Amino acid sequence: MDPSIEAAARALAAGDPLSALNYVALRDDAPALALRGIAMAQIGDMERARSLVRRAARAFGAKAAAAKAPLAKAPAAEAALAEAPVAQAPIAQASVKQASVVQASVAQTRFAQTAIAQARCRLVEAEIALATRKLAGLDKTLDDAQAVFDTYGDHANALYARLLQARRNLLTGDIEQAEASVLAIDLARAPPSMRAVHALLLAGIALRQMRAKAARLALSRAAQAAQRSGIAPLTAEVAELKRTLDAPAACLLANGGARPLLLDDVEALLKTPTLLIDGCRHVVQCGSTIVALARRPMLFTLVRALGEAWPGEVARGALVKRVFGGKTADESYRARLRVEIGRLRIALRPLADIRATTGGYALTLLWDHGVNREASHDASQGTTQGTTQGTTQDATQDATQDATQDATRDTSQGTTQDLSHDANPGEKHAADRRVPSCRRHGSPTGDSRQAAQSVVVLTQPVETPSAGILALLADGEAWSSSALALAMGVSQRTLQRALDVLAAQGRVRPLGRGRARRWTAPRYADITTNFLLTEALAAA
């Protein structure tokens, strides 16, 4: 290998891009272009890095085309074969055949080397796209590069391609696929830098699964591997994730008060017999039973309002105002409210029930369903004695209708078309009208449910209409609007409107114009790029 190329590769592997540029900054051959692109990516100039890597891939492609060209016989060998006597002709033919075999072997070796070099350039470009949050089409690029590495035995870069694929799945919210990919990776011959990346991925997965203890263990391994690798940006990324783990993860609303919770507190709360109404994930959970309401925002708004008032009730007028935005609870709003309450009853059937009272609605747990119903009935009788007769008749009529209403009729297709109210009317799908899914985690041989004894509500630490966008931008990277829409599962037009509102408030900052525009959140301190370079890739 060229000494300058080797020295530049070693400098990049150690996280020193400036020293690497001292060796290759003035060279335009394919290996030098690739190393210059990696150096610019480590510095942070992603656009220049992408341009250099693409130039390097084209240069390697020209070499690959030359290696594919048909081999011509050596002129000297042909002349010797023509002038050789008849007795020596078999010997001359054997010499020419042996020379052709050697040339073919050399050509195949060169073609394999250029194919690997091109795949490495695609891998670097994919990581640059991952750092700049250009996630569309990234999975196919990584799969193609990984196939080339597996074919020609480049195990180190094949391993790194799998790590990048897992990082992409983690960014787009495919936690189960990311976990399966990471756990399937064999780290027997992996260098410390890749061990650190692997541990960081495990920590990120554990964070999203609310397993604080597992996340801290993974971060401890990541810190040790990063220290052995000697790469400063990698150590800084581990420290940043540790700070994230020590920050408040949610806010607990219970008994009329609110207090912040760490991820360790949330993990401990999930192990208690508590009905948890999670405003971060939009699920209702008790033990291993989870009712997902992420695709039904109206139902989640209802159950959250009922959970905040538990063990009391919520007036119909308050629910109408909170869910539908109506000023008064007229007959139309009350009919729509009864339909949504019927759907919510079906969704929460494994965990809780909703009881209609003369004053409104109340959330009832399974363990004290009979006690709460009797006590609430006595309380409602005392309340109705002090109200006017007209109001009492209306409330009693609503309670009677709710008690006798058929839940199946409420969720039928005709009622849905007439009375359904969706938070996103332009994006109604047939799947959104189905009953929210309920899944259980635990022993497959028995019922892992446990009866809830209390109700708490979890909210995000800072509740804003665009909290999900701010959470994604909190990593310090510049996201494109398409990548944000892909990660959040919404349309790009809806996301763009939310970004414009946040930009007007000064909470996000646009960079660039047109298709090159990126979005980032203002930070008090800069975060080092999470672009990582393996030793095998640097040796290219």
Side-chain angles (χ1 to χ4, degrees):
M1 183 182 292
D2 188 340
S4 298
I5 296 295
E6 185 176 1
R10 293 185 182 277
L12 288 175
D16 189 2
L18 297 181
S19 297
L21 288 175
N22 288 333
Y23 294 104
V24 296
L26 301 179
R27 296 178 53 170
D28 288 332
D29 54 306
L33 287 173
L35 294 178
R36 285 170 59 189
I38 296 172
M40 296 305 295
Q42 288 190 352
I43 291 173
D45 191 350
M46 297 300 178
E47 293 300 325
R48 179 63 175 164
R50 184 181 292 107
S51 175
L52 289 170
V53 171
R54 286 177 177 175
R55 286 178 57 189
R58 288 195 295 268
F60 283 122
K63 290 186 178 181
K68 286 182 178 179
L71 296 175
K73 295 181 179 179
E78 291 180 355
L81 179 61
E83 296 175 0
V86 177
Q88 299 179 359
I91 300 176
Q93 289 177 355
S95 300
V96 172
K97 184 177 180 180
Q98 184 177 6
S100 300
V101 170
V102 171
Q103 289 183 359
S105 177
V106 171
Q108 290 177 358
T109 302
R110 290 179 179 176
F111 176 74
Q113 291 175 350
T114 53
I116 293 175
Q118 275 192 307
R120 287 173 177 173
C121 290
R122 289 197 298 269
L123 183 63
V124 174
E125 188 175 356
E127 189 167 9
I128 293 173
L130 191 65
T132 55
R133 301 302 188 257
K134 290 184 177 180
L135 305 179
L138 191 58
D139 52 347
K140 185 179 185 303
T141 302
L142 290 172
D143 290 339
D144 294 343
Q146 180 182 330
V148 173
F149 296 142
D150 290 334
T151 301
Y152 294 105
D154 191 351
H155 302 294
N157 282 290
L159 172 62
Y160 198 59
R162 291 184 175 91
L163 290 173
L164 291 182
Q165 189 71 273
R167 285 182 58 191
R168 180 198 174 275
N169 293 331
L170 192 61
L171 281 176
T172 55
D174 194 353
I175 310 300
E176 295 179 356
Q177 182 64 34
E179 185 178 16
S181 301
V182 172
L183 294 179
I185 293 177
D186 184 13
L187 297 177
R189 294 181 295 176
S193 60
M194 274 196 268
R195 291 179 181 271
V197 176
H198 185 271
L200 278 173
L201 284 172
L202 287 177
I205 293 170
L207 277 173
R208 286 159 177 80
Q209 293 176 341
M210 292 185 293
R211 296 185 291 116
K213 185 177 180 180
R216 294 188 187 278
L217 290 176
L219 281 178
S220 178
R221 295 196 300 269
Q224 295 175 2
Q227 188 175 5
R228 288 196 302 268
S229 69
I231 301 178
L234 188 55
T235 305
E237 188 173 353
V238 174
E240 176 66 21
L241 194 55
K242 282 185 177 180
R243 287 192 292 269
T244 302
L245 185 58
D246 294 333
C251 183
L252 177 66
L253 304 181
N255 300 324
R259 62 184 179 92
L261 294 181
L262 298 179
L263 191 63
D264 306 77
D265 303 326
V266 177
E267 183 182 16
L269 183 62
L270 291 176
K271 298 178 181 179
T272 61
T274 302
L275 184 67
L276 179 66
I277 302 173
D278 191 348
C280 303
R281 298 176 296 158
H282 285 75
V283 301
V284 180
Q285 180 175 358
C286 181
S288 58
T289 306
I290 301 176
V291 177
L293 298 176
R295 298 182 64 86
R296 300 308 306 269
M298 183 174 297
L299 297 188
F300 184 80
T301 303
L302 273 175
V303 72
R304 175 175 171 176
L306 295 173
E308 291 176 357
W310 185 87
E313 62 183 25
V314 184
R316 290 174 175 80
L319 288 175
V320 165
K321 183 177 181 181
R322 185 164 180 173
V323 177
F324 306 115
K327 296 182 179 180
T328 58
D330 56 17
E331 291 299 327
S332 175
Y333 278 130
R334 288 185 179 184
R336 293 171 61 182
L337 182 61
R338 285 193 295 271
V339 170
E340 300 301 332
I341 288 293
R343 293 174 180 152
L344 187 57
R345 279 198 186 101
I346 298 175
L348 298 181
R349 188 168 292 167
L351 300 174
D353 192 14
I354 299 176
R355 178 172 44 85
T357 66
T358 55
Y361 294 95
L363 187 65
T364 304
L365 301 179
L366 296 180
W367 71 278
D368 62 346
H369 182 45
V371 177
N372 278 352
R373 173 180 293 179
E374 185 177 349
S376 179
H377 178 67
D378 295 339
S380 62
Q381 283 184 347
T383 302
T384 53
Q385 290 177 0
T387 57
T388 61
Q389 186 172 357
T391 307
T392 303
Q393 290 177 351
D394 292 339
T396 306
Q397 180 182 2
D398 286 337
T400 304
Q401 289 178 355
D402 277 297
T404 59
Q405 192 175 33
D406 188 1
T408 305
R409 182 179 60 83
D410 289 339
T411 56
S412 62
Q413 184 69 21
T415 307
T416 302
Q417 294 177 353
D418 294 338
L419 303 174
S420 175
H421 179 75
D422 203 314
N424 296 317
E427 299 179 359
K428 290 183 180 179
H429 301 285
D432 291 343
R433 298 188 178 100
R434 298 172 186 167
V435 177
S437 61
C438 173
R439 59 184 186 273
R440 296 189 191 121
H441 306 276
S443 174
T445 59
D447 192 357
S448 58
R449 288 181 292 175
Q450 54 180 335
Q453 300 179 8
S454 61
V455 178
V456 297
V457 178
L458 279 187
T459 64
Q460 296 176 351
V462 179
E463 281 199 287
T464 61
S466 303
I469 299 176
L470 297 177
L472 289 173
L473 295 178
D475 62 356
E477 301 295 342
W479 287 68
S480 64
S481 58
S482 60
L484 285 171
L486 179 63
M488 295 192 64
V490 299
S491 68
Q492 191 169 348
R493 185 181 296 274
T494 300
L495 185 80
Q496 189 64 50
R497 288 196 294 265
L499 286 173
D500 292 338
V501 173
L502 291 175
Q505 297 172 353
R507 308 187 69 177
V508 299
R509 182 178 58 185
L511 304 173
R513 294 185 177 181
R515 298 183 63 182
R517 169 163 286 194
R518 298 292 179 269
W519 297 88
T520 184
R523 297 290 298 269
Y524 292 104
D526 293 332
I527 297 179
T528 56
T529 175
N530 56 5
F531 182 91
L532 303 173
L533 177 71
T534 66
E535 288 83 353
L537 184 58

